[in-house]
Amino acid sequence: MAMVIKSRKRKRHGHTPVEQIRYAPIDERDRRRFEYLNDKIWKNDVTCVNMLRLNRASFFHFCKLFRDRGLLEDTTHMCVEQQVVMFLHTIGHNVRNRVVATNFGRSGETVSRYFNKVLHAIGELRNDFIKPPSSATPSKIQGNPRWDPYFKDCIGAIDGTHIRASVPKEMEAAFRGRKSYTTQNVMAAVYFDLRFTFVIAGWEGTAHDASILRDALERPNGLRVPEGKFYLVDAGYGAKPGFLPPYRGVRYHLNEWGSNPV
């Protein structure tokens, strides 16, 4: 069905009627978009993981969660699945707006608008996926003579990672640290089941790990370490109550730990 935008005819003040603007049928474009998703995204789990970093079951479960929570909704020509596909493809491959717009048959403005919608929706799920660590002794430590009782009060590990960031030219010096490109230094705390318990992002790539940890501890809703518990950290964070770095001057060999199934 062709879309027609009717103009209001003005006869006063010498205005002449404007001819109606007609658009081509959009059903065919929608059909081609879904064909692209079926052939290039959802064809099988291998293709889906390559394109989105998620298998098909996880992807559709993710979309259902957004829809059930009312965080994203279908529009006339953009279902929730399409919105999430464009977002995951962008962050999974670090592709630019114009590339996504070309691949998915959308305008750059549309891609940008729905990217922000999905990003906000994911942020609203933070309490579902980022939870405080348990105060109980982890099952991987409890009863294991190699770790228990030495690490019975350990509640996880903290480390930082550098993620590429796009910043204004005048700010690049602060964000260009150990990498040749601009990055932000993101600190994360992870429990033994690989569940994130705390994440702080936004710091410049040149920021020291100890400064980021201090900021995380000083924030009103920041990182909290239960009494008597501690996190394992690297030497950059320093030794302080609640944080245990490696012993200085001791060489740790990867071949002693890399193949350890525990």
Side-chain angles (χ1 to χ4, degrees):
M1 180 181 294
M3 294 181 61
V4 178
I5 298 179
K6 294 183 178 179
S7 61
R8 179 179 297 177
K9 296 183 179 181
R10 298 180 180 179
K11 296 183 179 180
R12 294 180 300 174
H13 306 295
H15 290 285
T16 56
V18 180
E19 184 180 356
Q20 295 179 346
I21 302 175
R22 295 180 178 274
Y23 291 98
I26 59 178
D27 292 344
E28 179 62 21
R29 282 187 291 173
D30 286 342
R31 184 188 64 79
R32 290 199 301 268
R33 288 165 180 162
F34 271 103
E35 283 184 352
Y36 177 81
L37 295 177
N38 289 327
D39 294 340
K40 303 298 184 182
I41 307 292
W42 302 326
K43 184 177 181 180
N44 52 56
D45 278 338
V46 173
T47 304
C48 194
V49 170
N50 289 340
M51 297 295 286
L52 307 180
R53 301 295 190 256
L54 287 176
N55 59 35
R56 289 177 296 178
S58 298
F59 170 77
F60 287 111
H61 175 74
F62 205 29
C63 295
K64 183 177 185 300
L65 183 61
F66 285 133
R67 189 178 278 111
D68 292 345
R69 297 283 183 89
L71 298 172
L72 293 174
E73 59 182 14
D74 301 312
T75 62
T76 305
H77 302 291
M78 178 81 79
C79 64
V80 170
E81 287 73 16
Q82 290 175 302
Q83 300 171 33
V84 179
V85 159
M86 293 193 300
F87 177 88
L88 292 178
H89 187 64
T90 300
I91 65 172
H93 298 276
N94 192 31
V95 293
R96 298 296 182 262
N97 179 291
R98 67 186 64 183
V99 176
V100 177
T102 301
N103 289 343
F104 292 91
R106 302 288 180 177
S107 67
E109 187 279 332
T110 299
V111 172
S112 178
R113 173 156 42 90
Y114 283 102
F115 181 93
N116 289 321
K117 285 179 179 292
V118 178
L119 181 62
H120 174 77
I122 291 176
E124 292 300 303
L125 296 176
R126 58 189 178 274
N127 293 329
D128 292 69
F129 297 101
I130 302 178
K131 298 182 178 181
S134 172
S135 59
T137 301
S139 58
K140 290 188 177 182
I141 294 178
Q142 191 173 25
N144 188 327
R146 191 173 189 181
W147 312 111
D148 194 358
Y150 316 109
F151 295 97
K152 65 181 181 63
D153 292 320
C154 179
I155 55 174
I158 291 178
D159 201 1
T161 183
H162 285 259
I163 297 178
R164 187 185 291 268
S166 179
V167 298
K169 191 72 175 179
E170 61 273 12
M171 299 175 61
E172 286 187 353
F175 283 83
R176 184 176 286 111
R178 65 181 66 178
K179 306 290 185 180
S180 60
Y181 47 84
T182 55
T183 64
Q184 58 173 309
N185 193 346
V186 179
M187 188 193 83
V190 182
Y191 195 59
F192 287 88
D193 60 359
L194 303 183
R195 185 180 70 240
F196 285 94
T197 59
F198 185 82
V199 177
I200 181 170
W203 274 83
E204 302 91 334
T206 56
H208 195 279
D209 290 343
S211 299
I212 301 176
L213 177 59
R214 183 171 59 251
D215 178 38
L217 293 171
E218 292 176 350
R219 294 191 177 203
N221 296 320
L223 180 65
R224 298 292 179 265
V225 183
E227 186 69 26
K229 302 295 182 178
F230 64 89
Y231 282 101
L232 297 175
V233 297
D234 63 28
Y237 294 101
K240 55 178 66 66
F243 303 93
L244 179 65
Y247 287 105
R248 290 189 178 276
V250 177
R251 293 179 62 86
Y252 294 88
H253 300 281
L254 183 61
N255 59 0
E256 296 179 6
W257 309 95
S259 60
N260 185 0
V262 180

